[in-house]
Amino acid sequence: MFELLPGIGVHLPDGAGTLRFGMDDVATRRTLAGLGQVRSPGGLDATWIFTVQWGDLELTACARGDRHDPEPGDLLMAYVVLSRAGHPRRPIPGRGVVGRGAPGPAWRGPAAVPVVLDDIDLFGYPAAEVLEALGDDRYPELRFQTAVPGGYLPGVSFQAEPPPGTGVHTAAGTGAPDLACYEDMWTTGRHDWQLERTSSGYRIVMKGDPPMDLLMCHDALADRIAANMLATGVEVVAGHPAS
């Protein structure tokens, strides 16, 4: 059983201990290794990312900040994603932006491994029942990947503290999303990304095997990133419907 501990981190199964917000990369990897082989997908220059699979779930932990220009508190574990393993598209946090995305795969049954928050198994019941049980005042630190109608949650993102304002990095003194934080996605790193056409615009996807969605909780910022990607020739491909 995984237990989400708001403000603390995630208590891991099988005596592996607690993955705590604020750990550095060495401590994070060592803690995750208690569950199995740790992988580092890489690709986002601003963070380190570690992933481990346990049963039919996958846990991804990553830092905030820029390793090339660190600020106090940067490069420490600040985001966790727990997702259903085995589907072709796994959510990952990007530059501290987590949460909103296209509907995930049509999971029609519970996960074998419980993920518990306040005695509620987030992957053990249909998404609508889970969200109703958590109530309108549920923790703002959590973001849920969209489930298909009647389905179960494909994934949940969990961060160290509630997101301020819009939940994204902001330009100093403006309160507006800081587009400059993402510039390498359409400049030096543009060959690592692609845009998938959808009925409502574009989905931002990191190339790889499998490709991975960049989930964003700020629609306007996502649209601005996509526009810059289009302007500089980032590859555009046909979208793939959820399976």
Side-chain angles (χ1 to χ4, degrees), residues 32 41 49-52 58-62 79-83 91-93:
L32 292 177
I49 301 175
F50 298 128
T51 297
V52 67
E58 185 171 80
L59 186 152
T60 300
C62 79
Y79 301 93
V80 174
V81 178
L82 277 156
S83 58
I92 60 171

Side-chain angles (χ1 to χ4, degrees), residues 19 34 36 88 99 145 165 169:
L19 184 67
Q145 190 182 11
H169 293 304

Side-chain angles (χ1 to χ4, degrees), residues 31 104 134:
T31 302
L134 290 172

Side-chain angles (χ1 to χ4, degrees), residues 1 12-17 34-35 54:
M1 179 180 79
L12 305 177
D14 202 35
L35 297 180
W54 178 261

Side-chain angles (χ1 to χ4, degrees), residues 2-243:
F2 293 90
E3 183 179 4
L4 304 188
L5 306 173
I8 298 174
V10 182
H11 187 70
L12 305 177
D14 202 35
T18 300
L19 184 67
R20 296 181 180 275
F21 295 126
M23 283 181 165
D24 62 17
D25 56 338
V26 174
T28 300
R29 179 186 282 273
R30 182 171 58 242
T31 302
L32 292 177
L35 297 180
Q37 182 180 0
V38 179
R39 294 174 287 113
S40 181
L44 287 177
D45 191 52
T47 59
W48 48 256
I49 301 175
F50 298 128
T51 297
V52 67
Q53 186 167 334
W54 178 261
D56 62 346
L57 294 178
E58 185 171 80
L59 186 152
T60 300
C62 79
R64 66 158 63 92
D66 190 331
R67 65 165 60 94
H68 300 301
D69 187 21
E71 297 290 338
D74 283 353
L75 302 181
L76 300 178
M77 205 278 284
Y79 301 93
V80 174
V81 178
L82 277 156
S83 58
R84 302 290 292 270
H87 61 76
R89 317 188 68 83
R90 296 191 296 273
I92 60 171
R95 301 286 177 101
V97 183
V98 295
R100 193 195 67 81
W107 292 108
R108 297 295 184 182
V113 180
V115 176
V116 175
L117 173 68
D118 292 344
D119 296 324
I120 299 169
D121 184 357
L122 302 182
F123 295 152
Y125 300 91
E129 295 181 22
V130 169
L131 297 181
E132 181 179 4
L134 290 172
D136 294 334
D137 297 326
R138 55 182 175 266
Y139 297 98
E141 300 96 317
L142 270 68
R143 294 289 186 271
F144 300 99
Q145 190 182 11
T146 307
V148 298
Y152 289 64
L153 289 170
V156 57
S157 301
F158 189 41
Q159 64 185 80
E161 56 191 19
T166 60
V168 301
H169 293 304
T170 58
T174 68
D178 187 1
L179 186 65
C181 290
Y182 303 82
E183 186 174 4
D184 67 330
M185 294 172 64
W186 60 84
T187 55
T188 58
R190 63 183 177 274
H191 299 300
D192 297 328
W193 297 89
Q194 63 189 24
L195 292 169
E196 291 191 358
R197 292 190 184 90
T198 71
S199 59
S200 58
Y202 293 96
R203 178 183 298 135
I204 302 170
V205 178
M206 182 187 295
K207 295 179 181 179
D209 184 18
M212 294 185 288
D213 293 350
L214 177 68
L215 301 186
M216 305 195 71
C217 59
H218 194 285
D219 292 348
L221 180 61
D223 290 344
R224 291 168 65 195
I225 291 172
N228 282 22
M229 286 178 150
L230 287 169
T232 54
V234 170
E235 181 182 7
V236 177
V237 299
H240 299 283
S243 56

